[in-house]
Structures are given as C-alpha cells and as structure tokens.
Amino acid sequence: MSGGLLVAGTTSDAGKSVVTAGICRWLVRRGVKVAPFKAQNMSLNSFVTREGAEIGRAQAMQAQAARVEPTALMNPVLLKPGSDRSSQVVLMGKPVGEMSARGYHGGRQEALLGTVTDCLTQLRGTYDAVICEGAGSPAEINLRRTDIVNMGIARAARFPVVVVGDIDRGGVFASFFGTTALLSPEDQSLVAGYLVNKFRGDVSLLEPGLDMLHGLTGRRTYGVLPFTHGLGIDEEDGLRVSMRGTVREPAVSAPYGEDVLRVAVCAVPLMSNFTDVDALAAEPGVVVRFADRAEELADADLVIVPGTRGTVRALEWLRERGLADALARRASEGRPVLGVCGGFQLLGEHIDDTVESRAGAVDGLGLLPVRVRFAVEKTLGRPVGEALGEPVEGYEIHHGVAEVLGGTPFLDGCRAGSVWGTHWHGSLESDGFRRAFLREVAAVAGRRFVPAPDTSFGVLREEQLDRLGDLIEEHADTDGLLALIESGAPAGLPFVPPGAP
C-alpha cells in the first residue's frame, strides 16, 4: 500500500482528531505502516517529542494510535494562542515568534506551504500510508487562498478527502452539502465523501437522508459512527471541557478504599495541557472537576493550578475571582495544592516577565519559595527522575525559569507544607508516582482514600485507542477507505454548484 487520506470536518470539534486516530489504529492492526500528519495545528495542548520538538498533543496521541514515535514532521506548524488576536508560531517544533492572525494569514502561512509539503513527502517516503487531519472546515472561503492544512495540502498531495460531520449537533446534511458546494471545482474533485460521527439511534432511519445526500452531491457516505462516551482524548483545545462537568465524561469508578478523593482544577485563562489531569480522572474513586469560583474549591481534597500560556494573566484572573485568596487559605490550613508549569510559577513569590506578558516585575501568590524569570528561549525537554520513592517521566514546555529558594525538592520544583509545584507535565501518568502522590494527598486531606494498586494509565490509553480502531473497523466502510488511500478520489465526481466565489 502507498497513499494517504485527508480527514476534514464540517466544523471544529466534529471529531477529526479521534477519527484520524481510529483510522491509524485500524490500519496498523492490519499490518500497515502508517503515520499521522497535521500541517498546521492551533492548540494549547502540546507535547515534546524525544528529539525535543513541540507538537500538538493530538498528533502525539495519533502517533501512539499508529504505534510510532511522534516527530516534528507530523505537525510542522503549531500555533499557540496568547490572546484573541495573536499566537506563538512554533515551526518544526521550535518557537519562531509571536504573530497576529492578520499577519499570519496575510502571507506567512502561504510561505509555509513548502515546509509542510516537504514534511509530508518525507513521511510518505517512510510509511505505507499517511492519514492527514484538517483544521476547522475546508470551506473557510475567506482563508482558502493561504490554506495549507485543508484543501491546500490535499491539492498539493493529491489526497482524497473524507469530510466528518457531528450529527449530535444537528444540521449534518446541510453541513455536508454546504461544505462541498462552497469549494472550487478543483477542490471538489478530491472530496470523495462523508463520515457521520456521534449518531444515536437506529441507522436505518438515517439511510434515506444519506441516499438523498448521494443524489445531491454524487458522493457516498463511508460510515456512521455511533455516539460513544469517553473518546475525547488529547483534544486540541478546551471547547469540550465543561466548567461544571467532570473531565472527559468519565464514569467515576467506585473507590478502592472507603472514601472518594475530590480534585478541583482552576480553569485559568489560556489553560494549557489540561490533559495532565486525565490520569487522575482514570483512577477509581477520583472525581476531577474544573472550577472558576472560589466556593468550588471549598470541598476539594486537592486543588490543581494547571499550565497556562498566560501566567501573569492567570494570576490576575485568580485574584479578581477570589481564587487567589482561597488558595492562600488552603495553604495556611495545610490543605493540598499542586501547581503545574504556569500554575507552579504563579504560586511563587515573584515573577519577572518581559517575554510572555511583558508585565515586568509582578508579585506571585507567595505560596512557594520560588522566583521566576521569563527567558526568551523556551525550555523543551523530556525529563526523568524520582519523587516520593517512585520513578517519574514528564515533559517540559515553558519560558519561565524557576529559582527554588527553599522547601523540599519535588521533581524540578519544590514542596512547602501542603503546596507542591513542578514544571513537569505528564508526571501523573507514571503509575507508581501517581499512587504515591494520591496517598500523600489523602493523608494530608484526612481522607480514607486508597489508590487502586493495578490502575495502569498506559494500558487504559491503549484500550481507548483500540476502541477508536474498533469504531472504524465495525462502523465504517473499510474497503472503501482502503480504496481511497490506495487509489485516491474516484474519477468523475460531479461538481456541486455554486462552488467557491
């Protein structure tokens, strides 16, 4: 086999990431050497590869689904929003500066087409198949001229396109038709068909609509994937995080011990790598919730201040909403708090930031004996170490350089009383360390919570990825998808008017 496929979507959050991962897992189980690819990603959830490159966490997850090591080739352009109007541009895993949306779409994006096509060419030379993920919708007609992630990359590679639509939101037939009809004839010639996502009910009731869609567009539907809880893994942004709901819709298992353990995550602005708490949510008896009000921290056994792309902005937000005072009260009462990356930095005594916010000297919350200076160069790494008598692995993504002035060493940070802080993302995925940390938290919180001795986050993640592969294998036309990957879009697909303006 040699070829590829672009998984596009009618909207953001239609399910492109999980469908791409599912196709990768289905193919690798068939013995196909496959790699994921996303030319341009906008996300605050990122990951560090073994060569020290920063890429989107969704692509790292897709690489795991494909059972290959993630590399910068799989996500050459990553945009990390710092405000509503600007983002940090990460090119081939390294930051190259801040840019406004107008500046990026005004010329820089188009200039990167050669870079992303070179990366795709290298992947195609190494793997039997490359499954590309689009971004947003391919019918963003205002951005088509500079597009490098949807039809731009499909045209460059001559890849067939399958458009995913979220039927749970309604309007999926109009979305499929409208997406196709707003593309130019050249782009339409690559749109092979559709994939319905998150369907509830009897598929036979949907089939007349699929037949009519085929009649209107000349394009078939390659599968109807049922609504399945708990598949929103390593998402690109916080859109699916309910401020009042538990993380990723998990059904919290009964506790192994006598008590549950309640974890509140401060939903700070520009929250990054909120996937850090997924491993906690996987523990039987651990209830993880996001919080944006001070009173929501009152009954929590552990409060986590997560990473953020705006440390100073998050600090101001915590103070404005009374959460800073609530954290200070917890510390004075000896109740557990964990700060990760930006959350660790703002728990310190002082921040000197002339890089991220350019705010200069700012007082932190003073809960940890740490002073932070922001450096122009970003720290990217995959540290390993030991804490609480257990081995730990993680990854670092930060501009802030922490000077630890006291406390007890904790990973690269410190602990002072019941407050812990570290720059390491992903540390809670280390099973032994996570259990030891939760035992410590439970003891400090006075809870008779006991972590289950056999919970393996790695095993659970593999099971989840297999479920994605099962969805494709059981509910998609796999023969049809294989034909697209091997031979491209069918010849003679009809033009659907009016086309691109």
Side-chain angles (χ1 to χ4, degrees):
M1 173 186 290
S2 177
L5 177 72
L6 174 71
V7 179
T10 56
T11 63
S12 294
D13 203 35
K16 297 183 295 292
S17 295
V18 293
V19 167
T20 300
I23 292 175
C24 286
R25 177 50 60 101
W26 158 64
L27 285 172
V28 77
R29 293 194 308 205
R30 291 178 56 96
V32 177
K33 189 177 180 183
V34 58
F37 179 76
K38 185 160 186 171
Q40 171 196 293
N41 197 348
M42 177 173 281
S43 177
L44 288 173
N45 280 339
S46 58
F47 182 76
V48 179
T49 67
R50 294 204 180 277
E51 75 264 32
E54 185 180 7
I55 66 172
R57 269 203 69 110
Q59 280 61 67
M61 176 269 292
Q62 290 160 357
Q64 186 177 351
R67 296 178 179 150
V68 297
E69 190 67 32
T71 73
L73 292 175
M74 297 171 184
N75 180 206
V77 181
L78 174 64
L79 305 178
K80 303 194 72 176
S83 71
D84 293 339
R85 293 179 177 270
S86 67
S87 295
Q88 183 180 65
V89 180
V90 179
L91 180 63
M92 295 303 297
K94 304 297 180 183
V96 294
E98 295 279 334
M99 189 167 288
S100 69
R102 179 177 292 275
Y104 184 69
H105 290 287
R108 181 62 184 270
Q109 184 183 35
E110 192 174 14
L112 293 173
L113 181 60
T115 298
V116 301
T117 55
D118 286 347
C119 290
L120 181 55
T121 298
Q122 291 185 58
L123 290 175
R124 295 182 73 179
T126 304
Y127 294 91
D128 299 329
V130 179
I131 308 303
C132 304
E133 180 189 344
S137 163
E140 307 289 357
I141 55 178
N142 56 316
L143 304 177
R144 176 62 186 94
R145 181 182 62 83
T146 57
D147 170 49
I148 63 171
V149 65
N150 289 305
M151 301 312 299
I153 196 70
R155 287 267 292 273
R158 301 307 301 171
F159 274 0
V161 178
V162 172
V163 181
V164 178
D166 179 357
I167 197 169
D168 196 50
R169 293 183 172 186
V172 74
F173 292 115
S175 297
F176 283 146
F177 182 87
T179 296
T180 309
L182 280 177
L183 300 178
S184 69
E186 295 81 5
D187 286 349
Q188 285 192 28
S189 69
L190 295 175
V191 177
Y194 314 108
L195 191 65
V196 176
N197 192 28
K198 302 180 189 174
F199 179 73
R200 307 174 192 249
D202 186 344
V203 176
S204 66
L205 299 177
L206 187 67
E207 289 172 350
L210 301 179
D211 292 340
M212 286 185 275
L213 181 67
H214 183 271
L216 288 165
T217 66
R219 289 158 175 84
R220 53 177 300 197
T221 298
Y222 284 84
V224 178
L225 307 184
F227 188 100
T228 307
H229 286 282
L231 293 181
I233 54 178
D234 289 0
E235 289 137 353
E236 294 180 352
D237 52 44
L239 289 176
R240 284 178 49 79
V241 176
S242 168
M243 294 287 288
R244 299 287 175 263
T246 52
V247 179
R248 305 297 189 287
E249 308 170 274
V252 178
S253 302
Y256 185 79
E258 296 181 48
D259 283 350
V260 298
L261 203 67
R262 296 176 177 85
V263 179
V265 183
C266 296
V268 297
L270 298 174
M271 181 168 50
S272 62
N273 289 76
F274 57 81
T275 49
D276 283 337
V277 302
D278 283 356
L280 293 181
E283 281 284 348
V286 176
V287 182
V288 181
R289 301 181 71 86
F290 288 94
D292 65 348
R293 296 197 298 249
E295 55 268 28
E296 294 177 306
L297 308 187
D299 66 345
D301 302 303
L302 169 67
V303 171
I304 296 178
V305 187
T308 171
R309 246 290 267 152
T311 300
V312 171
R313 178 176 169 184
L315 182 60
E316 294 170 349
W317 181 87
L318 290 169
R319 285 177 168 141
E320 289 168 359
R321 302 184 72 89
L323 289 159
D325 291 338
L327 290 170
R329 284 194 299 273
R330 288 187 67 88
S332 67
E333 295 166 359
R335 304 176 66 199
V337 175
L338 170 66
V340 180
C341 200
F344 163 46
Q345 295 165 8
L346 61 81
L347 292 178
E349 298 172 353
H350 181 81
I351 297 170
D352 185 7
D353 179 12
T354 59
V355 175
E356 189 177 77
S357 69
R358 297 180 175 85
V362 177
D363 288 334
L365 296 185
L367 305 184
L368 288 173
V370 173
R371 297 177 69 87
V372 176
R373 173 185 56 83
F374 273 68
V376 174
E377 185 173 349
K378 181 184 283 190
T379 297
L380 297 169
R382 292 279 292 270
V384 296
E386 183 177 303
L388 304 178
E390 297 287 345
V392 191
E393 296 183 12
Y395 57 98
E396 292 184 89
I397 307 169
H398 54 91
H399 284 280
V401 179
E403 180 185 5
V404 178
L405 304 173
T408 304
F410 177 71
L411 302 178
D412 73 335
C414 66
R415 174 185 180 178
S418 63
V419 181
W420 292 264
T422 177
H423 271 134
W424 291 20
H425 294 291
S427 63
L428 294 168
E429 295 179 18
S430 298
D431 296 327
F433 166 72
R434 183 181 65 254
R435 287 192 278 269
F437 179 71
L438 289 176
R439 282 193 292 269
E440 184 84 8
V441 167
V444 173
R447 288 282 186 185
R448 290 174 294 182
F449 169 85
V450 179
D454 57 352
T455 301
S456 168
F457 184 74
V459 169
L460 292 173
R461 171 53 58 89
E462 278 297 303
E463 291 175 352
Q464 202 169 26
L465 293 172
D466 274 331
R467 290 174 67 201
L468 294 180
D470 292 343
L471 275 178
I472 299 300
E473 189 168 341
E474 296 169 10
H475 300 281
D477 177 1
T478 52
D479 289 340
L481 291 176
L482 279 174
L484 291 178
I485 293 168
E486 291 180 329
S487 305
L493 291 169
F495 172 68
V496 180

